[in-house]
Amino acid sequence: MDGNGRWAEKQGSEDRIDGHERGAKVLCDIVEEAKALGVEYLTFYTFSTENWSRPEKEVDFILADLLPRYLEQKMDFMVKEQVRFKALGDIQALPDHTQELIKRVEDATVEFSEIHANLALNYSGRSEILNAVKDIAAKASEDPSVIDSLDEDKFRNYLYDPELPDPDLLIRTSGELRVSNFLLWQLAYTEIYITDVLWPDFTKEEFRQAVGEFGKRDRRYGGV
Ligand code: FPP
């Protein structure tokens, strides 16, 4: 969800958090539109492990104000729309109140399966893989056969959400041309759509356009 800071600046705002506030609103629109289009999984890159290096005020705003506020406000919406909510990442480092709300919304939506909305929070693709490797090593020290029988499908069981399918489409807003440590294992054959639109200006129509563009791609998975 890139471009929040630039959006705030473009509005003449002194404060980047105005962009995040607007960005959270857009997120909800996109969940609605995705559901209408029959998209089953959405994962929003909300806060990376690298984002801790931002000014404390901005970090606190995202993690201790905006996020818990929206989780509380949108819980009924998610239950009504049957949205399965999950957080991906090292959640234990988040403020206690935010962790409690994450757990509450995850529990309240655990039965749903039509659409999954995931927030990558304190997330790093490299850490996700590294944690998986450490868990495998710990298991293998008791049962060496774990290594011999390890394959790509089994490796997935050690990721934050083993049930998360590889994404079909990665949408990158604000014209950035990087993967930025996002879902590194899962993105192996993901189609990439890049738009110059800043995340707070991203609309249901833009999302529809990205999905339409995806529909025209010829996916060969290394074949011919
Ligand atoms: C990247 O844009 C954006 C973030 C690091 C924060 C994204 C968070 C939200 C949109 C809020 C999510 C809220 C809820 C309730 C889930 P940037 O700040 O790097 O923008 P810039 O590149 O223009 O500086």
Side-chain angles (χ1 to χ4, degrees):
M1 296 184 278
D2 240 313
N4 296 347
R6 276 165 282 171
W7 183 88
E9 204 178 312
K10 245 177 58 184
Q11 307 299 306
S13 166
E14 303 263 304
D15 209 332
R16 298 170 49 79
I17 68 176
D18 293 340
H20 299 316
E21 186 73 54
R22 168 71 178 232
K25 236 177 170 170
V26 169
L27 188 157
C28 297
D29 286 350
I30 301 308
V31 173
E32 271 179 11
E33 187 63 6
K35 190 167 183 232
L37 288 174
V39 172
E40 289 173 89
Y41 288 85
L42 287 165
T43 302
F44 295 94
Y45 203 1
T46 307
F47 194 86
S48 73
T49 52
E50 292 81 11
N51 288 149
W52 291 104
S53 65
R54 293 182 175 222
E56 198 179 333
K57 179 179 165 228
E58 184 176 344
V59 170
D60 280 354
F61 176 75
I62 295 173
L63 299 181
D65 177 349
L66 187 62
L67 185 56
R69 178 154 45 85
Y70 261 79
L71 286 169
E72 197 148 32
Q73 258 178 31
K74 295 292 173 182
M75 178 135 61
D76 290 348
F77 163 83
M78 288 191 261
V79 170
K80 184 170 152 274
E81 293 293 323
Q82 307 215 326
V83 177
R84 171 86 190 265
F85 171 82
K86 273 189 198 173
L88 302 183
D90 181 7
I91 302 309
Q92 280 155 22
L94 302 181
D96 287 346
H97 178 56
T98 304
Q99 286 187 52
E100 281 156 26
L101 278 162
I102 289 171
K103 171 95 176 56
R104 235 205 285 161
V105 182
E106 283 183 342
D107 289 349
T109 63
V110 73
E111 302 290 334
F112 306 139
S113 58
E114 194 180 327
I115 180 161
H116 298 70
N118 304 315
L119 296 186
L121 280 168
N122 194 21
Y123 178 85
S124 148
R126 284 187 174 176
S127 297
E128 181 175 31
I129 294 169
L130 196 58
N131 287 338
V133 171
K134 285 182 180 173
D135 287 351
I136 293 165
K139 265 205 166 150
S141 68
E142 284 170 17
D143 174 9
S145 75
V146 165
I147 300 291
D148 283 339
S149 63
L150 189 65
D151 59 18
E152 292 185 7
D153 278 342
K154 292 205 179 86
F155 187 84
R156 207 174 275 279
N157 290 327
Y158 297 89
L159 298 175
Y160 287 127
D161 181 3
E163 283 157 34
L164 180 72
D166 289 344
D168 288 315
L169 179 65
L170 170 70
I171 300 175
R172 183 92 217 219
T173 55
S174 86
E176 301 290 2
L177 303 172
R178 293 182 288 278
V179 173
S180 295
N181 207 1
F182 186 53
L183 297 178
L184 295 182
W185 177 270
Q186 299 88 336
L187 289 181
Y189 274 97
T190 298
E191 295 293 324
I192 302 179
Y193 178 88
I194 292 165
T195 171
D196 285 334
V197 174
L198 306 176
W199 175 255
D201 286 329
F202 198 72
T203 57
K204 290 184 174 187
E205 289 68 37
E206 304 277 352
F207 183 71
R208 206 172 264 270
Q209 196 174 319
V211 172
E213 173 71 32
F214 166 77
K216 295 186 213 146
R217 301 277 175 95
D218 177 20
R219 304 185 80 190
R220 294 188 299 279
Y221 298 96
V224 287

